[in-house]
Amino acid sequence: MLLSIALILILGLLMGSLCKKLKLPGLLGMLLVGIVTGPFVLNIIDVSILNISDDIRKIALVIILTRAGLSLDIEGLKKIGRPAFMMCFVPASFELLGMLILGTRVLNLSLLEACILGAVLAAVSPAVVVPRMVKLMDEKFGTKEGIPQLILAGASVDDVYVIVLFTTFVNMMKGEGISVLSFVNIPVSIIAGIAIGFLGGILLSLLFNRFELDATVKVITTLCLSFVLVAIENSLTTPLTFSALIAIMFIGVALQKRSPKAVAELTDKYKKLWIPSEVFLFVLVGAKVDISYLKNVGVAAIIVILGALIFRMIGVFVCLLGTRLNSRERLFTMLAYTPKATVQAAIGGIPLSLGMACGDVVLTVAVLAIVLTAPLGAFAIDSTYKRFLKKA
């Protein structure tokens, strides 16, 4: 295990740095390291790490979402209003609609199979989007217009919505029908996540303000609370739950209000924690990509992915109608809302494991979507934000 950890960190950092020197996103190098060293190519990553890769990737997401919450301008988000709410649901719904049209015609899927594929693809990747929006907020690009805040908030809720849809469609395919409570759980889990996050942040602020704690102790305490929330969400078997990832982000928002000194210390520490976390996140996402499925990919799969992305971008455009954003800012927002990675790696193989006829197609298209959109989406963000957005 120790050798595998060393290989992941060293090779991930080296390939990430090399890609950055070539003016490519660093995550592309990390994804390639994961694909090559993973179980489907060289198979040199220890199986014990692969067995806990989902947990390791969730830890990385916890770190970047906490950092996002510490930087999120909630007042600016309130000013955006309607578009921020619409970004949580409309783009994913448009992409799903696009998949219903294209999947049934181009890939010859049934309507329900196209729904399952659309739900797998419709989630934007917080692993790709969130760190870049945090970077934009740090550098003050587009913050006056609320663009990174808008994308950040939408990307965090988008996944909750899509995963509920995916679960519902899979249950329908298995003959279990539609659960109304599943759809009720979408707003409930979001609102409950926000409330629990605020409460957790208030409790932490009381602790930090009352006792003189070292900055490292504050980080450990905040991480432990985040892990507990994730564990509670995973253990819940009730129809109505809460979103732990949204709660984790709003811990940072609450701390902004009540403990500014702690926020400054935590932000600095979390920036350093993100360096190894990013490597683990994208290398392990890459390790889940079975490139052998790409042998079956034809032009049809590429057409479907690109076509669905066009529908998604139209959905983003609809969300931005009536805002004061100029054409460049709208184009940036549309491009920034396209990368796929973490959700596709997590659920892309479920239909195949359940023995569904569309399982091979879903997994193949999910793998191709990661390979195409994660690096291209990251490249689009990194290469355009200084030209398309205004610096506050």
Side-chain angles (χ1 to χ4, degrees):
M1 179 187 279
L2 293 178
L3 178 60
S4 293
I5 291 172
L7 285 172
I8 288 170
L9 287 171
I10 292 169
L11 294 177
L13 288 169
L14 284 174
M15 286 298 293
S17 299
L18 178 62
C19 284
K20 287 176 183 176
K21 286 185 178 179
L22 296 172
K23 305 298 182 184
L24 296 170
L27 70 87
L28 176 58
M30 298 171 199
L31 283 171
L32 289 173
V33 168
I35 292 170
V36 173
T37 60
F40 305 109
V41 183
L42 297 180
N43 194 24
I44 57 176
I45 296 180
D46 194 287
V47 68
S48 57
I49 291 181
L50 294 174
N51 288 339
I52 60 169
S53 66
D54 288 346
D55 293 321
I56 295 173
R57 287 186 286 117
K58 186 152 279 189
I59 289 170
L61 281 177
V62 163
I63 289 169
I64 193 57
L65 282 169
T66 307
R67 189 180 162 200
L70 294 168
S71 308
L72 186 63
D73 178 9
I74 204 71
E75 295 302 321
L77 197 57
K78 285 179 184 177
K79 291 177 184 176
I80 298 169
R82 174 191 55 81
F85 175 77
M86 292 178 67
M87 286 284 280
C88 300
F89 312 101
V90 174
S93 299
F94 267 71
E95 187 168 4
L96 183 58
L97 174 63
M99 188 56 67
L100 291 179
I101 296 170
L102 296 170
T104 52
R105 288 166 172 76
V106 180
L107 295 177
N108 296 317
L109 298 174
S110 70
L111 198 61
L112 189 51
E113 288 172 339
C115 285
I116 290 174
L117 178 57
V120 170
L121 290 190
V124 70
S125 173
V128 179
V129 172
V130 172
R132 278 162 178 77
M133 295 308 108
V134 172
K135 179 183 176 185
L136 263 61
M137 289 190 290
D138 288 344
E139 297 181 14
K140 306 294 184 186
F141 277 96
T143 50
K144 186 178 179 182
E145 295 78 19
I147 294 169
Q149 298 97 307
L150 173 71
I151 296 170
L152 183 62
S156 302
V157 178
D158 176 275
D159 287 358
V160 177
Y161 173 58
V162 168
I163 289 171
V164 169
L165 290 180
F166 173 76
T167 305
T168 301
F169 295 143
V170 167
N171 288 339
M172 289 172 65
M173 181 68 86
K174 290 159 63 179
E176 296 178 15
I178 299 175
S179 170
V180 176
L181 277 177
S182 295
F183 291 97
V184 173
N185 190 46
I186 295 172
V188 169
S189 64
I190 294 166
I191 294 168
I194 293 171
I196 291 169
F198 262 111
L199 178 60
I202 290 169
L203 293 175
L204 285 179
S205 68
L206 292 172
L207 177 66
F208 296 160
N209 293 338
R210 185 176 179 84
F211 300 101
E212 284 295 328
L213 300 176
D214 183 79
T216 303
V217 175
K218 291 177 182 176
V219 170
I220 293 171
T221 307
T222 308
L223 277 174
C224 287
L225 176 59
S226 301
F227 296 159
V228 168
L229 291 176
V230 172
I232 291 173
E233 183 196 20
N234 291 339
S235 66
L236 288 177
T237 56
T238 56
L240 300 178
T241 59
F242 74 99
S243 170
L245 293 181
I246 292 175
I248 287 163
M249 187 164 69
F250 275 86
I251 288 173
V253 173
L255 283 171
Q256 280 188 60
K257 301 282 185 183
R258 301 177 65 93
S259 189
K261 180 186 174 185
V263 167
E265 293 172 332
L266 290 169
T267 300
D268 182 59
K269 294 287 185 181
Y270 270 91
K271 279 182 182 178
K272 294 170 184 175
L273 271 176
W274 175 241
I275 295 170
S277 301
E278 181 183 33
V279 176
F280 272 106
L281 176 60
F282 288 111
V283 170
L284 291 175
V285 166
K288 292 202 73 171
V289 173
D290 185 352
I291 58 172
S292 66
Y293 282 103
L294 298 181
K295 295 175 185 175
N296 306 321
V297 171
V299 178
I302 297 173
I303 290 172
V304 165
I305 292 169
L306 295 179
L309 283 180
I310 291 170
F311 273 85
R312 182 179 190 85
M313 293 172 75
I314 293 170
V316 175
F317 180 80
V318 169
C319 295
L320 300 179
L321 291 174
T323 65
R324 296 181 179 179
L325 301 185
N326 61 38
S327 57
R328 285 190 165 197
E329 290 164 344
R330 294 185 189 204
L331 178 58
F332 173 83
T333 307
M334 290 159 69
L335 292 171
Y337 223 52
T338 57
K340 319 285 182 183
T342 37
V343 174
Q344 289 70 31
I347 67 175
I350 291 177
L352 182 62
S353 67
L354 293 174
M356 294 181 181
C358 63
D360 266 333
V361 174
V362 171
L363 183 56
T364 301
V365 176
V367 169
L368 183 60
I370 295 170
V371 173
L372 284 177
T373 66
L376 287 177
F379 179 74
I381 296 170
D382 295 343
S383 61
T384 61
Y385 77 92
K386 289 184 178 178
R387 289 182 290 125
F388 287 7
L389 304 182
K390 299 168 190 170
K391 187 167 185 178

